[in-house]
Amino acid sequence: MSPIARWTLLSRSPSLARSSHCLSIIPNGRLFLYGGELLPRTPVDAIPTARGTVHSLDLSRTASLLDSLKWSSVSTDSSSSVNVPDPRVGAASVTIGEYFYLWGGRGGVDMSPLPRNQAGIWRLSLGTEDPKPIWERIGATNEEDAPQIRSYHAMASYENTIYVHAGCPEKGRTGELHAFDLTTNRWSTLASAPEPGRGGTVLAAVRLNGRPVLLRFGGFAGDELDSFDVYDIRADAWHTVVPAPDPQYGSPGARAVYGFVPFASPRYPRSLALMYHGERSPSALGHAGAGQFWDDIWMIEAGAEGEPEFSWKFVQMPVDKASPAPRGWFPSSSWEDGQATKVVLFGGLLSSNDRSDELWVLEI
């Protein structure tokens, strides 16, 4: 029997509508939203008094206090001397412990690279007495080995390491993989992924038979892709696999700028990750328009002994229940609430070319 999806709409916040933004969640359930665009390539929160603004929401309250669920927006001191990340689109973020980490992105319509003092890893924490965000740029001990600045790349974290992969530099697309070790503040250049270079792909860090790996699906390289690749962290090596299809529904279609998160559930002990929504074909207007989008959900599972290494499982959505409209250009995010994973979807680009203001939570 196929897994069943349950989407819950938690809030709508018109003032926060956006796509190409960052969203990550720390272990206590606090969500952090940063950056993005309401108009193509025009960063939100760009006025001087909004520099460094972070929007936050406590997901741990959602179980019993939906009516009182409210976003809070906190800004830094507006003084120009305060060191905060410039407004940007197409950046990516992860959380490790109580910290939110940001890297990359572009600053405007011309998509020019960020200046050197803005490139690199930024770390966010919130003060305990004063709720203003505290931003700190984490300088690398080997800045000369830092990845070329880019946008629409993928980020993932495993233990104390941040991985930066693929994306769109000033020209072209790349398949490079870099790691930033937070214990030494050093960058490492790792094995590049199978070609072609791409933007709009996503990494999910999981354990496969006890080994830490990064899973990757699809992305965009002139057209949407549908390859499935696995990076073995210990071996520093990639390999491409073809997961066994779902016996009834087959395999997911090619896509980019989609959701892909590690997924754990006692009901599905072999589950590794969930993939959902995303762009199925681009707009003829490029980044200025909206293409066609998916609204499906797929689970990737590890095979048992003697079975294929991976297999797809289609996740069904009840036709009489509400669910997010097809969309793409949103960040992947999830939260471990007890033993099961909850997927969090905020914003994104709709087929109407509007940016969504909805916050949804997915449970399987």
Side-chain angles (χ1 to χ4, degrees):
M1 180 177 178
S2 297
I4 304 296
R6 185 181 73 183
W7 285 104
T8 302
L9 178 62
L10 296 185
S11 75
R12 297 197 64 177
S13 306
S15 64
L16 297 180
R18 65 192 64 200
S19 63
S20 302
H21 49 291
C22 296
L23 187 147
S24 295
I25 306 164
I26 60 177
N28 68 5
R30 181 160 290 279
L31 173 157
F32 294 103
L33 168 67
Y34 180 79
E37 62 184 25
L38 182 59
L39 298 174
R41 295 179 177 150
T42 304
V44 298
D45 298 329
I47 61 175
T49 55
R51 292 180 67 243
T53 294
V54 178
H55 310 282
S56 181
L57 185 143
D58 186 0
L59 290 173
S60 68
R61 297 167 57 89
T62 62
S64 59
L65 297 172
L66 286 177
D67 290 341
S68 63
L69 189 67
K70 295 186 183 298
W71 287 89
S72 61
S73 299
V74 287
S75 302
T76 59
D77 188 319
S78 60
S79 166
S80 61
S81 64
V82 175
N83 193 25
V84 299
D86 282 346
R88 61 192 67 193
V89 302
S93 65
V94 296
T95 56
I96 298 178
E98 300 301 310
Y99 295 105
F100 171 98
Y101 293 90
L102 170 77
W103 188 87
R106 296 285 177 166
V109 174
D110 61 357
M111 297 299 275
S112 58
L114 295 168
R116 174 54 54 184
N117 68 319
Q118 282 291 321
I121 298 284
W122 287 86
R123 181 170 63 195
L124 169 72
S125 61
L126 290 180
T128 55
E129 297 181 2
D130 183 350
K132 290 186 181 298
I134 302 169
W135 285 103
E136 177 186 7
R137 185 186 182 280
I138 308 298
T141 57
N142 59 335
E143 288 282 359
E144 68 279 3
D145 295 325
Q148 183 181 6
I149 198 69
R150 65 194 67 163
S151 56
Y152 299 104
H153 50 285
M155 281 177 65
S157 63
Y158 183 77
E159 294 182 339
N160 237 12
T161 300
I162 295 172
Y163 295 89
V164 175
H165 171 58
C168 305
E170 189 172 12
K171 295 181 180 180
R173 304 177 186 93
T174 182
E176 296 172 344
L177 177 65
H178 292 80
F180 187 78
D181 187 333
L182 289 166
T183 61
T184 61
N185 290 349
R186 289 189 62 84
W187 285 104
S188 298
T189 302
L190 306 175
S192 292
E195 293 291 338
R198 63 198 67 190
T201 191
V202 187
L203 295 176
V206 303
R207 293 187 70 84
L208 176 65
N209 300 323
R211 297 183 67 86
V213 299
L214 303 178
L215 306 180
R216 179 185 81 163
F217 181 86
F220 186 81
D223 291 295
E224 276 73 16
L225 305 170
D226 63 358
S227 59
F228 185 82
D229 306 295
V230 181
Y231 174 76
D232 186 317
I233 290 176
R234 293 176 183 168
D236 186 26
W238 290 86
H239 69 284
T240 300
V241 297
V242 179
D246 182 284
Q248 182 175 357
Y249 296 96
S251 300
R255 69 192 67 203
V257 288
Y258 57 96
F260 193 43
V261 298
F263 180 77
S265 169
R267 292 185 179 181
Y268 304 98
R270 292 192 292 156
S271 62
L272 295 172
L274 280 182
M275 183 172 70
Y276 51 101
H277 287 65
E279 184 180 77
R280 63 192 300 174
S281 61
S283 167
L285 299 176
H287 196 73
Q292 295 182 346
F293 300 104
W294 298 99
D295 64 353
D296 53 354
I297 306 169
W298 295 82
M299 181 185 296
I300 189 77
E301 293 187 317
E305 186 175 353
E307 296 181 350
E309 186 178 15
F310 298 95
S311 60
W312 289 112
K313 188 182 288 292
F314 181 73
V315 180
Q316 294 192 38
M317 291 183 289
V319 295
D320 59 340
K321 302 295 184 181
S323 62
R327 70 192 63 194
W329 303 89
F330 57 86
S332 301
S333 192
S334 62
W335 176 46
E336 298 294 330
D337 181 13
Q339 292 185 311
T341 302
K342 290 185 176 180
V343 177
V344 178
L345 169 60
F346 177 78
L349 180 64
L350 307 176
S351 58
S352 61
N353 207 21
D354 295 319
R355 272 70 182 175
S356 171
D357 63 357
E358 300 168 335
L359 175 67
W360 293 84
V361 168
L362 169 66
E363 298 174 90
I364 305 296

